Amino acid sequence: MTTTTQDPALAAGAATAVSRRVTLPPMTPKLAAGLLLGGAITLFGLLGPLFVGNPSTVNNIGLSGPGNGFILGTTQTGQDVFAQLAYATRGSLTIGLIVGVLTLFLSAFFGIVGAYAGGWLDESFSLFSNVMLVIPGLPLIIIISSYVPDKSILLVALVLAITGWAGSARVLRGFTLSLRNRDYVAAARVSGEKPWRVLGVEILPNLIPLLASQAVFAVIFAILGEAGLSFLGLGASGSFTWGTMLYYAQNGLALRLGAWWWFVPPGLLIALFGAALSLINFSIDEIINPKLRNQTRATRKKWNLSKSQLKQVVKEDEL
């Protein structure tokens, strides 16, 4: 009868791999609701323009409510509100995607690369991030937008990305400085691993939840920022977004005339998409910080307790 011996290091690695698979956070109701709501709005923005007509077409029926062949009625000049909403959803999501990618790239470059390199490079990157952080974003965006007469969606996205990456870079720099001093990173550097491999294999995977959270926050900032600029008349010209729809509705006195079908749909989609991304962001925060997840579960349990049980829990917490 033969017996096989297993290397303790391999056994420990297998146990660690199993524990990592087991401890992965499950799909929470908060995350599921955010993904479902955000996915539905994204799908509408991708496929909606394929099934509607030209949103700029002027019809004889001006400022009519839902019906008569128009799902969401018409504007003051007879344009289809539903068609405008489909194109506006695509435009706003495009701006959010561009700003999210650019913000993620800039914040990762100035935050992660600088913190890992250290020395004068880290000091210069940190100084530049601090300068961009203290510059007021909204006035700068208004000044840049006001000096450019014909603004495209890409230009608005670039302006929003340039003014919104510094805060994320500071957060990523702090976490990277903490990870750079870990034992496994020091061991990889001592063993002769190349800097780009240490950064990509040892440090970057630990920052993925934080990077995802920062990207989601950047998309929220971009959509709300573009809506605010467009409402002030400084948004993308010649394109439909949620903000431009609200701007034209304001100029057309939709609120005073009671044309709710003109301004309620874009405002509602902004609120719903922002809520969906916020739910996703909260779920990512719980993944990053397990203590926050445990506190949330403990709070949920308290909701289902009776008054006598709740008083007992409060007394135990005070002790």
Side-chain angles (χ1 to χ4, degrees):
M1 183 176 179
T2 61
T3 59
T4 59
T5 60
Q6 188 176 8
D7 190 355
L10 295 176
T16 303
V18 173
S19 64
R20 286 178 181 174
R21 288 197 298 268
V22 173
T23 56
L24 284 176
M27 178 67 71
T28 61
K30 189 185 301 182
L31 181 59
L35 291 175
L36 183 62
L37 186 57
I41 296 176
T42 303
L43 192 63
F44 174 67
L46 293 175
L47 302 180
L50 302 177
F51 299 97
V52 296
N54 187 356
S56 301
T57 302
V58 178
N59 299 286
N60 296 327
I61 305 176
L63 206 63
S64 62
N68 298 323
F70 298 99
I71 299 177
L72 291 177
T74 60
T75 65
Q76 201 169 26
T77 55
Q79 296 170 332
D80 189 358
V81 175
F82 184 76
Q84 289 188 356
L85 186 65
Y87 279 88
T89 302
R90 174 181 289 183
S92 294
L93 294 180
T94 301
I95 291 178
L97 178 63
I98 295 174
V99 174
V101 172
L102 290 178
T103 301
L104 186 64
F105 174 78
L106 291 174
S107 60
F109 179 75
F110 287 98
I112 299 175
V113 176
Y116 176 74
W120 66 268
L121 186 63
D122 182 29
E123 293 294 333
S124 59
F125 280 5
S126 179
L127 177 62
F128 183 64
S129 300
N130 291 333
V131 171
M132 293 299 298
L133 189 62
V134 299
I135 294 177
L138 182 59
L140 180 61
I141 293 173
I142 293 176
I143 291 173
I144 296 176
S145 299
S146 61
Y147 276 96
V148 181
D150 296 327
K151 297 175 287 295
S152 63
I153 287 180
L154 180 59
L155 179 62
V156 174
L158 287 175
V159 172
L160 291 171
I162 290 173
T163 58
W165 63 268
S168 299
R170 296 295 301 171
V171 175
L172 292 174
R173 179 179 180 272
F175 274 83
T176 305
L177 289 176
S178 175
L179 293 174
R180 190 182 64 176
N181 298 323
R182 301 289 175 88
D183 294 337
Y184 60 89
V185 176
R189 298 173 68 176
V190 170
S191 63
E193 295 288 347
K194 296 181 179 180
W196 63 267
R197 191 179 186 281
V198 176
L199 185 62
V201 176
E202 303 294 341
I203 294 179
L204 194 59
N206 295 288
L207 294 174
I208 288 178
L210 185 60
L211 289 170
S213 177
Q214 297 298 320
V216 171
F217 179 79
V219 173
I220 298 175
F221 164 78
I223 292 177
L224 294 180
E226 185 279 328
L229 285 176
S230 298
F231 190 75
L232 296 175
L234 301 174
S237 56
S239 302
F240 286 99
T241 62
W242 291 331
T244 56
M245 286 191 68
L246 294 175
Y247 171 72
Y248 290 125
Q250 179 196 23
N251 287 348
L253 303 177
L255 182 61
R256 182 177 299 180
L257 297 175
W260 58 267
W261 58 88
W262 193 356
F263 61 87
V264 168
L268 184 61
L269 284 184
I270 291 175
L272 291 178
F273 195 70
L277 293 182
S278 297
L279 290 174
I280 295 174
N281 203 9
F282 293 155
S283 301
I284 296 175
D285 289 340
E286 292 180 358
I287 295 173
I288 297 174
N289 188 1
K291 293 182 179 179
L292 182 62
R293 183 169 64 250
N294 296 332
Q295 290 176 359
T296 304
R297 291 175 179 173
T299 304
R300 274 190 205 150
K301 290 180 180 179
K302 291 181 181 179
W303 292 347
N304 299 325
L305 296 177
S306 61
K307 291 183 178 180
S308 59
Q309 292 175 336
L310 186 59
K311 290 180 180 179
Q312 183 65 27
V313 171
V314 171
K315 290 181 180 179
E316 292 178 357
D317 293 339
E318 291 177 353
L319 295 175

